[in-house]
Amino acid sequence: MTDAALPALPCYLNGEFTTLRDAKVSVMDRGFIFGDGVYEVVPVYGGRPFRFEEHTARLGRSLGELRIANPLSAAQWRELVMKLIDAYARSCGAKAESLDQLVYLQVTRGVAMRDHVMVQGVTPTVFAMSNRMSPAKPGDRSEGVACVTADDFRWEKAHIKSISLAGAVLSRQLSADEGAAETVMFRDGFLSEAAASNVWVVQDGVVMGAPRDHLVLEGIRYGLIEQLCRDAGVGFQLRRIPREEVFAADELMLSSATKEVLPVTRLDGRPIGSGRPGPIYQQLYALYQRAKQSS
């Protein structure tokens, strides 16, 4: 695709609002040369960013891990995002409250001559755009989705939401090649996460996930699902989960900004539990919809 073929959608780049066709970044930007940057994806429901403080807090943590100064304050990030939400809606001829959107935020170290060392005194590059959210298909919610498994061959700093996503791209392609929705990954025989989702195992009425550590990107839904489980009176636990427990689960779920919570009913061609979306998923999905309305 060429620049001219891009949609003329609004975006933000280094202090200015422009369009995707017109926005330009230097070839010497360290995001382009090294993948030296971080990103966030914020879901927007009815014109309101969902769990925005949690997203900007994780953005700050990722920037800190890469020793990149946060270029904007919390108030400035919110102002930028709200303007972008409105600009995207107007570009569609609609009101912001009538569209569900996904806002993408990216910060790179900035422009410098190529050097592996973290160059000092460089101004970070800030880019943001929004697009319409594509929700899960009704059939995926009623029937569940199929996933495949793979060894987690990514680096051991998975807790950083880095733009260096070659490992995730390769992992996700494994499932795309099989017509599956996601690739569930295991590191040394224990569940880590999926290519672009967190993974939740339900056994005996308890929702379990991988621990919060450097091997897993803690999705914003980590805290949300813990809260929803508490509201539903459902047990919640984070621990190392062996591969065999995943296949023996009563239910298996994915979570992400776009999937919200989504049931997995087949893994490597084998049914999970009854092979149908289970009652814990149904509870959490209903509570998730309620949380969206109160955001």
Side-chain angles (χ1 to χ4, degrees):
M1 180 179 287
T2 64
D3 286 343
L6 288 170
L9 295 176
C11 68
Y12 171 96
L13 180 63
N14 293 335
E16 296 183 359
F17 284 88
T18 181
T19 70
L20 294 179
R21 290 179 185 172
D22 297 325
K24 298 291 185 291
V25 178
S26 169
V27 295
M28 296 309 296
D29 192 281
R30 286 179 62 97
F32 176 72
I33 296 292
F34 291 116
D36 187 5
V38 301
Y39 74 103
E40 277 294 327
V41 179
V42 183
V44 178
Y45 300 108
R48 302 186 307 274
F50 185 58
R51 297 182 75 82
F52 185 72
E53 288 75 17
E54 288 83 354
H55 278 283
T56 51
R58 186 174 63 178
L59 179 65
R61 293 195 299 271
S62 294
L63 287 168
E65 289 282 348
L66 291 188
R67 305 185 196 178
I68 298 174
N70 196 327
L72 300 176
S73 67
Q76 288 172 322
W77 279 118
R78 180 172 282 278
E79 181 182 11
L80 186 167
V81 167
M82 295 308 296
K83 286 182 177 179
L84 196 55
I85 291 169
D86 184 61
Y88 176 78
R90 281 188 283 107
S91 75
C92 298
K95 294 183 178 180
E97 57 268 25
S98 68
L99 292 177
D100 290 345
Q101 302 180 36
L102 281 177
V103 173
Y104 178 85
L105 308 174
Q106 178 171 303
V107 181
T108 75
R109 197 174 305 278
V111 178
M113 293 303 293
R114 189 179 187 279
D115 188 339
H116 282 75
V117 174
M118 294 178 179
V119 181
Q120 301 300 308
V122 177
T123 302
T125 296
V126 180
F127 171 72
M129 66 178 181
S130 190
N131 209 341
R132 192 184 298 264
M133 184 185 296
S134 298
K137 298 175 183 177
D140 291 343
R141 296 216 172 276
S142 61
E143 302 296 326
V145 298
C147 294
V148 300
T149 65
D151 290 334
D152 192 343
F153 46 75
R154 303 165 306 157
W155 70 329
E156 293 188 355
K157 290 281 189 178
H159 64 298
I160 301 173
K161 200 166 177 67
S162 168
I163 62 173
S164 299
L165 289 172
V169 169
L170 289 168
S171 298
R172 179 63 185 91
Q173 190 60 43
L174 293 175
S175 52
D177 290 343
E178 299 297 324
E182 255 289 19
T183 303
V184 175
M185 295 184 288
F186 296 87
R187 196 186 294 263
D188 299 325
F190 292 92
L191 176 68
S192 54
E193 57 191 345
S197 318
N198 289 125
V199 183
W200 303 95
V201 175
V202 180
Q203 189 68 53
D204 297 326
V206 177
V207 174
M208 298 177 290
R212 295 179 172 99
D213 60 17
H214 65 287
L215 300 178
V216 171
L217 177 66
E218 181 186 333
I220 299 303
R221 270 127 291 276
Y222 252 66
L224 176 59
I225 287 178
E226 183 174 10
Q227 176 186 322
L228 298 182
C229 285
R230 186 165 56 247
D231 293 344
V234 172
F236 180 87
Q237 185 180 76
L238 299 180
R239 64 173 175 84
R240 298 273 177 235
I241 303 173
R243 181 185 180 94
E244 54 270 21
E245 286 192 34
V246 175
F247 279 90
D250 296 330
E251 299 180 44
L252 193 62
M253 299 179 292
L254 304 173
S255 67
S256 73
T258 54
K259 298 178 184 68
E260 300 182 351
V261 285
L262 191 65
V264 177
T265 50
R266 297 192 71 81
L267 189 60
D268 285 347
R270 295 160 55 181
I272 296 295
S274 68
R276 302 282 299 174
I280 299 296
Y281 159 72
Q282 303 288 358
Q283 280 184 282
L284 295 183
Y285 179 67
L287 288 170
Y288 198 114
Q289 304 316 298
R290 190 182 305 172
K292 286 161 50 177
Q293 299 305 315
S294 61
S295 65

